[in-house]
Amino acid sequence: LLSVCLIGHSFITRLERYMQSNIHLRNLNLDRDLFFVSTRARGGLHVSQIEIADFLSFTNVPDMCFIQIGENDIGRFDCSRLSRDILSLSAFIHEGLGISCVIIGQLLRRQPWASSRDFNSKVVTINQLLKDGCSSLDGVHFWRHRGFWADFNFLCRDGVHLRCPRPSVHVVSSSPMHRYWRSVRSAILHYKR
């Protein structure tokens, strides 16, 4: 059984809620005999707030971690410092805690009016720094989310979060939240042992 933990800010909190909305979305629709998916998330989470104690409280340390973090820190730190902090955290999770695979999710843009003027250009810079940094780290990988770069239609009214379909018996596979769900699922399948 491959244990996977999704860690991060409100994107992961909302992803968890989305997964619970339909039986076909739970556990990222991965075979429960082969995968166990859990989440550790809090809205507004900053890189510095990820507690190592959170990892030590695991009954069993997960085999893989997917991390979506950094967007809430862009206004507080310059690009190189923030990318260095995310890479250091990821390397510690891998080496210090013995989690064999850590996947860093690509940071996503916001509506220009929903954040600082230079937020989206910083996102592009940080993503490049993370991608470059991962290339020299063993067991730490950068994951590019596809389908979020042509425009801002993936964002809900707040200009920050992914649009999510209303709960329904049917899965709305064209929704931005489903696209994100599919991206995280693909990352897990891509980097599984």
Side-chain angles (χ1 to χ4, degrees):
L1 184 71
L2 194 73
S3 172
V4 180
C5 187
L6 312 179
I7 298 165
H9 51 52
S10 55
F11 278 38
I12 300 297
T13 306
R14 288 164 180 250
L15 177 63
E16 180 182 29
R17 202 176 311 140
Y18 179 65
M19 287 193 295
Q20 296 308 317
S21 72
N22 187 299
I23 195 162
H24 300 293
L25 301 171
R26 291 187 188 134
N27 205 56
L28 292 173
N29 201 26
L30 296 168
D31 186 333
R32 289 179 186 276
D33 293 332
L34 302 176
F35 295 90
F36 173 73
V37 179
S38 64
T39 60
R40 297 279 171 111
R42 191 173 77 240
L45 191 69
H46 294 279
V47 176
S48 62
Q49 294 172 317
I50 293 181
E51 298 289 332
I52 299 311
D54 290 343
F55 293 98
L56 301 177
S57 67
F58 281 115
T59 312
N60 296 308
V61 174
D63 302 296
M64 294 179 84
C65 281
F66 180 95
I67 302 176
Q68 186 73 51
I69 195 80
E71 287 92 342
N72 296 325
D73 295 279
I74 285 178
R76 301 168 60 178
F77 302 107
D78 66 58
C79 297
S80 56
R81 160 93 191 265
L82 180 53
S83 59
R84 209 170 40 246
D85 287 354
I86 294 169
L87 290 165
S88 296
L89 172 71
S90 303
F92 177 76
I93 291 170
H94 170 64
E95 294 165 19
L97 300 176
I99 294 174
S100 61
C101 179
V102 179
I103 304 164
I104 301 171
Q106 181 182 40
L107 277 64
L108 295 176
R109 299 173 306 155
R110 294 178 176 175
Q111 283 284 5
W113 50 261
S115 210
S116 62
R117 193 178 320 133
D118 59 352
F119 183 90
N120 291 331
S121 62
K122 284 184 171 182
V123 163
V124 172
T125 302
I126 292 163
N127 283 329
Q128 190 59 54
L129 290 168
L130 290 172
K131 184 180 176 203
D132 294 346
C134 284
S135 66
S136 62
L137 289 175
D138 181 48
V140 179
H141 310 280
F142 180 74
W143 184 256
R144 187 175 163 269
H145 296 298
R146 287 158 187 78
F148 295 97
W149 299 94
D151 52 40
F152 292 102
N153 290 335
F154 64 94
L155 295 166
C156 65
R157 272 189 230 156
D158 67 7
V160 171
H161 296 102
L162 301 173
R163 274 191 301 116
C164 191
R166 297 191 195 289
S168 149
V169 262
H170 304 289
V171 172
V172 184
S173 60
S174 62
S175 79
M177 181 55 81
H178 192 77
R179 212 177 312 151
Y180 183 70
W181 174 91
R182 198 168 48 236
S183 183
V184 172
R185 182 180 192 277
S186 296
I188 302 307
L189 289 171
H190 184 79
Y191 287 111
K192 77 183 190 313
R193 277 191 240 131

